[in-house]
Amino acid sequence: MAASRTGLTPHLRFRSKVLSRDRKAGITNCPECGTPLDYITTRLPNSAEPDHIIPITKGGTNDPANGRTICRRCNQSRGNRDKPRKRKTPPEVTASPIW
Ligand SMILES: [Zn+2]
């Protein structure tokens, strides 16, 4: 099997395919929160980011058909979803009497 190396990892290829496809398709707003997407600038809260519709961890693939474009903020909050905040309860302090 001849390996053709493009230098792109599957994830990077997924990213560019999903973003350019949705940009061409005229998707200008995040489908989750409706914020206007910024396709030009990265790392902004409203930067366009590719999202796996079915997460890789749940059997999804890096096929662009499994991708959609959402804003960075939604992308990050999705990643943190289903993790209830654990409140740390301090261990009970047994006061040792000082004589
Ligand atoms: Zn959003």
Side-chain angles (χ1 to χ4, degrees):
M1 193 192 265
S4 77
R5 306 205 68 183
T6 59
L8 286 175
T9 66
H11 180 74
L12 285 177
R13 194 176 310 154
F14 170 82
R15 175 188 175 87
S16 67
K17 289 227 168 158
V18 170
L19 291 183
S20 67
R21 179 197 66 194
D22 286 355
R23 192 178 179 186
K24 276 180 201 156
I27 293 173
T28 55
N29 293 70
C30 172
E32 286 288 316
C33 68
T35 204
L37 293 168
D38 189 335
Y39 283 92
I40 311 293
T41 317
T42 57
R43 298 187 165 270
L44 292 177
N46 68 323
S47 292
E49 294 201 342
D51 176 45
H52 289 90
I53 295 167
I54 302 167
I56 299 290
T57 52
K58 298 208 169 136
T61 66
N62 280 314
D63 189 322
N66 184 37
R68 62 175 184 156
T69 302
I70 63 174
C71 75
R72 179 176 165 84
R73 192 186 315 193
C74 286
N75 198 16
Q76 293 190 331
S77 65
R78 262 172 73 88
N80 294 334
R81 209 175 48 174
D82 299 336
K83 273 189 193 167
R85 257 189 206 185
K86 271 188 190 162
R87 196 165 281 192
K88 269 195 180 174
T89 42
E92 205 147 310
V93 180
T94 44
S96 49
I98 298 164
W99 302 102

